Short mmCIF file of all heavy atoms in Angstrom, two decimals:
data_model
loop_
_atom_site.label_atom_id
_atom_site.label_comp_id
_atom_site.label_asym_id
_atom_site.label_seq_id
_atom_site.Cartn_x
_atom_site.Cartn_y
_atom_site.Cartn_z
N ALA A 1 42.76 62.53 18.96
CA ALA A 1 41.44 63.10 19.26
C ALA A 1 41.25 64.44 18.56
O ALA A 1 40.19 64.72 17.98
CB ALA A 1 41.28 63.26 20.77
N GLN A 2 42.29 65.26 18.59
CA GLN A 2 42.20 66.57 17.92
C GLN A 2 42.05 66.39 16.41
O GLN A 2 41.27 67.09 15.76
CB GLN A 2 43.44 67.41 18.22
CG GLN A 2 43.40 68.80 17.57
CD GLN A 2 44.56 69.66 18.01
OE1 GLN A 2 44.82 69.81 19.21
NE2 GLN A 2 45.29 70.24 17.04
N PHE A 3 42.77 65.42 15.86
CA PHE A 3 42.72 65.17 14.43
C PHE A 3 41.35 64.66 14.02
O PHE A 3 40.76 65.14 13.05
CB PHE A 3 43.80 64.14 14.06
CG PHE A 3 43.91 63.85 12.60
CD1 PHE A 3 44.48 64.77 11.74
CD2 PHE A 3 43.48 62.63 12.07
CE1 PHE A 3 44.61 64.50 10.37
CE2 PHE A 3 43.60 62.35 10.72
CZ PHE A 3 44.17 63.30 9.87
N VAL A 4 40.82 63.69 14.77
CA VAL A 4 39.52 63.10 14.45
C VAL A 4 38.40 64.14 14.56
O VAL A 4 37.52 64.23 13.69
CB VAL A 4 39.23 61.90 15.37
CG1 VAL A 4 37.76 61.49 15.31
CG2 VAL A 4 40.11 60.72 14.97
N ASN A 5 38.45 64.95 15.62
CA ASN A 5 37.37 65.91 15.87
C ASN A 5 37.50 67.19 15.05
O ASN A 5 36.49 67.85 14.79
CB ASN A 5 37.32 66.26 17.35
CG ASN A 5 36.94 65.07 18.22
OD1 ASN A 5 36.12 64.25 17.82
ND2 ASN A 5 37.54 64.95 19.40
N GLY A 6 38.72 67.53 14.65
CA GLY A 6 38.91 68.82 13.98
C GLY A 6 39.18 68.77 12.49
O GLY A 6 39.29 69.82 11.85
N SER A 7 39.31 67.57 11.92
CA SER A 7 39.70 67.48 10.51
C SER A 7 38.71 66.71 9.64
O SER A 7 39.04 66.30 8.54
CB SER A 7 41.08 66.80 10.40
OG SER A 7 42.06 67.51 11.11
N LYS A 8 37.50 66.51 10.14
CA LYS A 8 36.53 65.70 9.41
C LYS A 8 36.32 66.20 7.98
O LYS A 8 36.04 67.38 7.77
CB LYS A 8 35.20 65.68 10.15
CG LYS A 8 35.25 64.89 11.45
CD LYS A 8 33.94 64.97 12.21
CE LYS A 8 34.04 64.22 13.54
NZ LYS A 8 32.83 64.37 14.38
N GLY A 9 36.49 65.28 7.03
CA GLY A 9 36.26 65.61 5.63
C GLY A 9 37.32 66.47 4.98
O GLY A 9 37.17 66.87 3.82
N ASP A 10 38.43 66.74 5.67
CA ASP A 10 39.48 67.61 5.12
C ASP A 10 40.45 66.78 4.28
O ASP A 10 41.22 65.98 4.82
CB ASP A 10 40.23 68.30 6.26
CG ASP A 10 41.22 69.35 5.76
OD1 ASP A 10 41.56 69.33 4.56
OD2 ASP A 10 41.67 70.17 6.59
N PRO A 11 40.46 66.97 2.95
CA PRO A 11 41.32 66.16 2.09
C PRO A 11 42.78 66.57 2.11
O PRO A 11 43.61 65.93 1.46
CB PRO A 11 40.71 66.38 0.70
CG PRO A 11 40.18 67.78 0.78
CD PRO A 11 39.65 67.93 2.18
N ASN A 12 43.11 67.62 2.85
CA ASN A 12 44.50 68.08 2.94
C ASN A 12 45.11 67.82 4.31
O ASN A 12 46.19 68.33 4.60
CB ASN A 12 44.58 69.58 2.61
CG ASN A 12 44.23 69.87 1.17
OD1 ASN A 12 44.61 69.12 0.27
ND2 ASN A 12 43.49 70.93 0.94
N ALA A 13 44.43 67.06 5.14
CA ALA A 13 44.92 66.78 6.50
C ALA A 13 45.56 65.40 6.58
O ALA A 13 45.02 64.42 6.06
CB ALA A 13 43.77 66.89 7.50
N LEU A 14 46.71 65.34 7.23
CA LEU A 14 47.44 64.09 7.42
C LEU A 14 47.81 63.94 8.89
O LEU A 14 47.94 64.94 9.61
CB LEU A 14 48.73 64.08 6.59
CG LEU A 14 48.59 64.15 5.06
CD1 LEU A 14 49.95 64.44 4.44
CD2 LEU A 14 48.01 62.87 4.52
N MET A 15 48.03 62.72 9.34
CA MET A 15 48.49 62.47 10.70
C MET A 15 49.50 61.34 10.70
O MET A 15 49.26 60.27 10.13
CB MET A 15 47.32 62.09 11.61
CG MET A 15 47.76 61.81 13.05
SD MET A 15 46.43 61.13 14.10
CE MET A 15 46.27 59.48 13.38
N VAL A 16 50.63 61.57 11.34
CA VAL A 16 51.64 60.52 11.52
C VAL A 16 51.18 59.61 12.65
O VAL A 16 50.59 60.07 13.63
CB VAL A 16 53.01 61.13 11.86
CG1 VAL A 16 54.07 60.04 12.01
CG2 VAL A 16 53.44 62.11 10.79
N MET A 17 51.43 58.33 12.52
CA MET A 17 51.05 57.37 13.56
C MET A 17 51.97 56.16 13.47
O MET A 17 52.87 56.14 12.65
CB MET A 17 49.58 56.98 13.42
CG MET A 17 49.14 56.52 12.05
SD MET A 17 49.74 54.89 11.53
CE MET A 17 48.84 53.84 12.66
N GLY A 18 51.71 55.16 14.31
CA GLY A 18 52.53 53.97 14.22
C GLY A 18 52.22 53.00 15.34
O GLY A 18 51.20 53.11 16.03
N ALA A 19 53.12 52.05 15.54
CA ALA A 19 52.90 50.99 16.52
C ALA A 19 52.67 51.53 17.92
O ALA A 19 51.89 50.98 18.69
CB ALA A 19 54.10 50.03 16.52
N VAL A 20 53.35 52.63 18.25
CA VAL A 20 53.21 53.23 19.58
C VAL A 20 51.76 53.63 19.85
O VAL A 20 51.24 53.44 20.95
CB VAL A 20 54.13 54.45 19.72
CG1 VAL A 20 53.84 55.22 21.02
CG2 VAL A 20 55.60 54.01 19.69
N MET A 21 51.10 54.20 18.84
CA MET A 21 49.72 54.63 19.01
C MET A 21 48.81 53.43 19.28
O MET A 21 47.89 53.49 20.11
CB MET A 21 49.23 55.40 17.78
CG MET A 21 47.80 55.95 17.93
SD MET A 21 47.32 57.00 16.54
CE MET A 21 48.19 58.52 16.93
N LEU A 22 49.06 52.32 18.60
CA LEU A 22 48.25 51.13 18.82
C LEU A 22 48.39 50.65 20.25
O LEU A 22 47.40 50.34 20.92
CB LEU A 22 48.66 50.02 17.85
CG LEU A 22 47.99 50.00 16.46
CD1 LEU A 22 48.19 51.29 15.70
CD2 LEU A 22 48.51 48.84 15.64
N GLY A 23 49.63 50.61 20.75
CA GLY A 23 49.87 50.19 22.12
C GLY A 23 49.20 51.11 23.12
O GLY A 23 48.63 50.67 24.13
N GLY A 24 49.25 52.42 22.85
CA GLY A 24 48.63 53.40 23.73
C GLY A 24 47.12 53.27 23.77
O GLY A 24 46.48 53.44 24.82
N ILE A 25 46.53 52.97 22.63
CA ILE A 25 45.07 52.79 22.57
C ILE A 25 44.66 51.54 23.36
O ILE A 25 43.65 51.54 24.07
CB ILE A 25 44.60 52.69 21.10
CG1 ILE A 25 44.72 54.06 20.42
CG2 ILE A 25 43.17 52.18 21.00
CD1 ILE A 25 44.50 54.05 18.92
N ILE A 26 45.47 50.49 23.26
CA ILE A 26 45.16 49.25 23.99
C ILE A 26 45.22 49.48 25.50
O ILE A 26 44.35 49.02 26.24
CB ILE A 26 46.13 48.13 23.57
CG1 ILE A 26 45.88 47.72 22.11
CG2 ILE A 26 45.98 46.91 24.49
CD1 ILE A 26 46.97 46.85 21.52
N THR A 27 46.24 50.22 25.96
CA THR A 27 46.38 50.43 27.42
C THR A 27 45.51 51.57 27.93
O THR A 27 44.99 51.50 29.04
CB THR A 27 47.85 50.73 27.79
OG1 THR A 27 48.31 51.88 27.06
CG2 THR A 27 48.74 49.55 27.50
N GLY A 28 45.36 52.62 27.12
CA GLY A 28 44.66 53.81 27.60
C GLY A 28 43.17 53.86 27.32
O GLY A 28 42.44 54.59 27.97
N LYS A 29 42.71 53.11 26.33
CA LYS A 29 41.30 53.10 25.94
C LYS A 29 40.72 54.52 25.80
O LYS A 29 39.79 54.89 26.51
CB LYS A 29 40.49 52.29 26.96
CG LYS A 29 40.93 50.84 27.08
CD LYS A 29 40.18 50.10 28.16
CE LYS A 29 40.69 48.67 28.30
NZ LYS A 29 40.05 47.94 29.41
N PRO A 30 41.29 55.32 24.89
CA PRO A 30 40.82 56.70 24.72
C PRO A 30 39.43 56.75 24.11
O PRO A 30 38.96 55.76 23.53
CB PRO A 30 41.86 57.31 23.77
CG PRO A 30 42.37 56.15 22.99
CD PRO A 30 42.37 54.99 23.95
N PRO A 31 38.74 57.91 24.21
CA PRO A 31 37.38 58.04 23.68
C PRO A 31 37.29 58.02 22.16
O PRO A 31 36.21 57.80 21.62
CB PRO A 31 36.90 59.39 24.24
CG PRO A 31 38.17 60.15 24.51
CD PRO A 31 39.17 59.12 24.92
N VAL A 32 38.42 58.27 21.49
CA VAL A 32 38.42 58.18 20.02
C VAL A 32 39.25 56.97 19.62
O VAL A 32 40.10 56.51 20.38
CB VAL A 32 39.02 59.45 19.36
CG1 VAL A 32 38.13 60.66 19.62
CG2 VAL A 32 40.44 59.71 19.85
N THR A 33 39.00 56.45 18.44
CA THR A 33 39.76 55.30 17.97
C THR A 33 40.39 55.59 16.62
O THR A 33 39.93 56.47 15.88
CB THR A 33 38.86 54.06 17.82
OG1 THR A 33 37.90 54.30 16.76
CG2 THR A 33 38.11 53.78 19.11
N LEU A 34 41.42 54.83 16.31
CA LEU A 34 42.12 55.01 15.04
C LEU A 34 41.22 54.68 13.86
O LEU A 34 41.38 55.24 12.77
CB LEU A 34 43.37 54.13 15.04
CG LEU A 34 44.42 54.37 13.96
CD1 LEU A 34 44.89 55.81 13.94
CD2 LEU A 34 45.60 53.43 14.18
N SER A 35 40.26 53.81 14.07
CA SER A 35 39.36 53.41 12.98
C SER A 35 38.49 54.55 12.50
O SER A 35 37.88 54.47 11.43
CB SER A 35 38.47 52.24 13.43
OG SER A 35 37.66 52.63 14.52
N GLN A 36 38.43 55.65 13.25
CA GLN A 36 37.65 56.81 12.82
C GLN A 36 38.38 57.61 11.74
O GLN A 36 37.76 58.38 11.02
CB GLN A 36 37.33 57.71 14.03
CG GLN A 36 36.34 57.09 15.00
CD GLN A 36 36.19 57.89 16.28
OE1 GLN A 36 36.80 57.60 17.29
NE2 GLN A 36 35.38 58.93 16.22
N ALA A 37 39.71 57.47 11.68
CA ALA A 37 40.50 58.16 10.66
C ALA A 37 40.68 57.23 9.46
O ALA A 37 40.20 56.09 9.45
CB ALA A 37 41.85 58.58 11.24
N THR A 38 41.39 57.72 8.44
CA THR A 38 41.49 56.99 7.16
C THR A 38 42.92 56.50 6.92
O THR A 38 43.83 57.31 6.71
CB THR A 38 41.06 57.90 6.00
OG1 THR A 38 39.76 58.43 6.25
CG2 THR A 38 41.06 57.14 4.69
N PRO A 39 43.15 55.19 6.93
CA PRO A 39 44.50 54.67 6.70
C PRO A 39 44.99 54.94 5.28
O PRO A 39 44.26 54.73 4.31
CB PRO A 39 44.35 53.17 6.95
CG PRO A 39 42.89 52.87 6.80
CD PRO A 39 42.16 54.12 7.18
N LEU A 40 46.23 55.42 5.18
CA LEU A 40 46.82 55.70 3.87
C LEU A 40 48.01 54.78 3.57
O LEU A 40 47.98 54.03 2.61
CB LEU A 40 47.27 57.17 3.79
CG LEU A 40 46.19 58.24 3.95
CD1 LEU A 40 46.82 59.63 3.92
CD2 LEU A 40 45.12 58.10 2.88
N ALA A 41 49.05 54.85 4.42
CA ALA A 41 50.24 54.07 4.10
C ALA A 41 51.14 53.86 5.30
O ALA A 41 51.23 54.72 6.18
CB ALA A 41 51.03 54.75 2.99
N ARG A 42 51.80 52.72 5.34
CA ARG A 42 52.92 52.50 6.25
C ARG A 42 54.15 53.02 5.53
O ARG A 42 54.31 52.84 4.32
CB ARG A 42 53.06 51.01 6.57
CG ARG A 42 54.12 50.71 7.62
CD ARG A 42 54.26 49.20 7.86
NE ARG A 42 54.82 48.53 6.70
CZ ARG A 42 54.99 47.21 6.59
NH1 ARG A 42 54.60 46.42 7.57
NH2 ARG A 42 55.52 46.69 5.51
N LEU A 43 55.07 53.64 6.28
CA LEU A 43 56.23 54.26 5.65
C LEU A 43 57.55 53.55 5.98
O LEU A 43 58.31 53.21 5.08
CB LEU A 43 56.33 55.73 6.10
CG LEU A 43 55.15 56.62 5.75
CD1 LEU A 43 55.28 57.96 6.49
CD2 LEU A 43 55.09 56.85 4.25
N THR A 44 57.81 53.37 7.26
CA THR A 44 59.12 52.86 7.68
C THR A 44 58.99 51.85 8.80
O THR A 44 57.95 51.76 9.46
CB THR A 44 60.01 54.00 8.21
OG1 THR A 44 59.40 54.56 9.40
CG2 THR A 44 60.19 55.10 7.18
N SER A 45 60.05 51.11 9.02
CA SER A 45 60.14 50.27 10.21
C SER A 45 61.49 50.56 10.86
O SER A 45 62.44 50.99 10.19
CB SER A 45 60.01 48.79 9.87
OG SER A 45 61.12 48.35 9.13
N GLU A 46 61.55 50.35 12.14
CA GLU A 46 62.78 50.65 12.88
C GLU A 46 62.76 49.84 14.16
O GLU A 46 61.71 49.65 14.78
CB GLU A 46 62.84 52.15 13.21
CG GLU A 46 64.11 52.59 13.89
CD GLU A 46 64.14 54.09 14.17
OE1 GLU A 46 63.06 54.70 14.30
OE2 GLU A 46 65.24 54.64 14.26
N TYR A 47 63.93 49.37 14.56
CA TYR A 47 64.02 48.65 15.82
C TYR A 47 64.49 49.59 16.92
O TYR A 47 65.13 50.62 16.64
CB TYR A 47 64.97 47.46 15.69
CG TYR A 47 64.40 46.33 14.87
CD1 TYR A 47 64.76 46.16 13.54
CD2 TYR A 47 63.47 45.46 15.42
CE1 TYR A 47 64.21 45.13 12.77
CE2 TYR A 47 62.91 44.43 14.67
CZ TYR A 47 63.29 44.28 13.35
OH TYR A 47 62.73 43.28 12.59
N ASN A 48 64.16 49.24 18.15
CA ASN A 48 64.57 50.07 19.28
C ASN A 48 65.96 49.72 19.74
O ASN A 48 66.44 48.60 19.55
CB ASN A 48 63.59 49.90 20.45
CG ASN A 48 62.28 50.62 20.21
OD1 ASN A 48 62.11 51.30 19.21
ND2 ASN A 48 61.34 50.48 21.13
#
């Protein structure tokens, strides 16, 4: 939410994310969505 609301149009802003965020959005239904930000790249995978 802070990233979406505070970084609009900023070409030097990045945010780390991953599978956990997707799960949290599904269960928590926050007022902002990941689709509002700009996807760049997947980096790593890891098992628990």
Side-chain angles (χ1 to χ4, degrees):
Q2 181 174 309
F3 184 73
V4 165
N5 295 323
S7 302
K8 290 176 182 175
D10 187 343
N12 293 320
L14 297 168
M15 180 188 70
V16 181
M17 52 72 68
V20 171
M21 183 174 283
L22 273 57
I25 289 171
I26 292 167
T27 57
K29 300 176 183 176
V32 294
T33 66
L34 193 55
S35 61
Q36 290 171 263
T38 306
L40 299 177
R42 186 182 68 184
L43 299 169
T44 64
S45 68
E46 184 179 26
Y47 288 100
N48 285 357

